[in-house]
Amino acid sequence: MRPLDVRFNVMSLSVLNEGRDLPEHYQALMTHGWGPVRVCMAAAEAAGPGVLRDLYTALGTRIHLQKYELDEKLYREALTECGLDPALADAAGSDAWDEALRASHDAGMKPVGTDVGTPVIHAPGPQEGQTVAFFGPVVTPAPKGEAAGKLWDGVVLVSATPGFYELKRSREVGPIFD
């Protein structure tokens, strides 16, 4: 709906929450959260960052809709769906990609800060060549077509306002995936 150049970066909630005092159940989730992002980094290294959108979708569909565990079956199926080598699933248990993961994470998060989660979006700023970054928008269900374009226009307009930091209201429904 808009002429956008969409590129994906790997961001890690496990990296973001390192060293933070978290509830025990959330800390366990952060421990297991290294696997998917390591697989994403290995896939991006092997096939280029253009694979990240489809791989994130394949992983997210299995994790959030089909309730897969964060394990080898998840990684191999998602990689295979995306036409990638399922052996890249081995990256989940290796720290070989952690330096690149931290660099990718930092590149995405530095402009917006660490008091946010995901998604983080970098968008054109008010001046030529300027970029703004923000967390969100968090919307459910996701708008489609021109409604999505109008939301994008509004979010970019608001985020380009100097000194603007936050809009928020309580969630009344959980995520709707349609």
Side-chain angles (χ1 to χ4, degrees), residues 138-140 166-175:
V138 178
V139 181
T140 193
E166 186 171 6
L167 278 175
K168 189 163 184 159
R169 62 179 165 197
S170 296
R171 295 182 193 193
E172 296 176 1
V173 299

Side-chain angles (χ1 to χ4, degrees), residues 111-124:
V112 74
T114 58
D115 291 332
V116 300
T118 185
V120 169
I121 297 175
H122 296 222

Side-chain angles (χ1 to χ4, degrees), residues 79-103:
L79 288 160
T80 299
E81 177 184 320
C82 296
L84 298 165
D85 182 356
L88 291 169
D90 294 342
S94 170
D95 63 5
W97 289 269
D98 287 4
E99 185 176 334
L101 168 60
R102 288 178 191 284

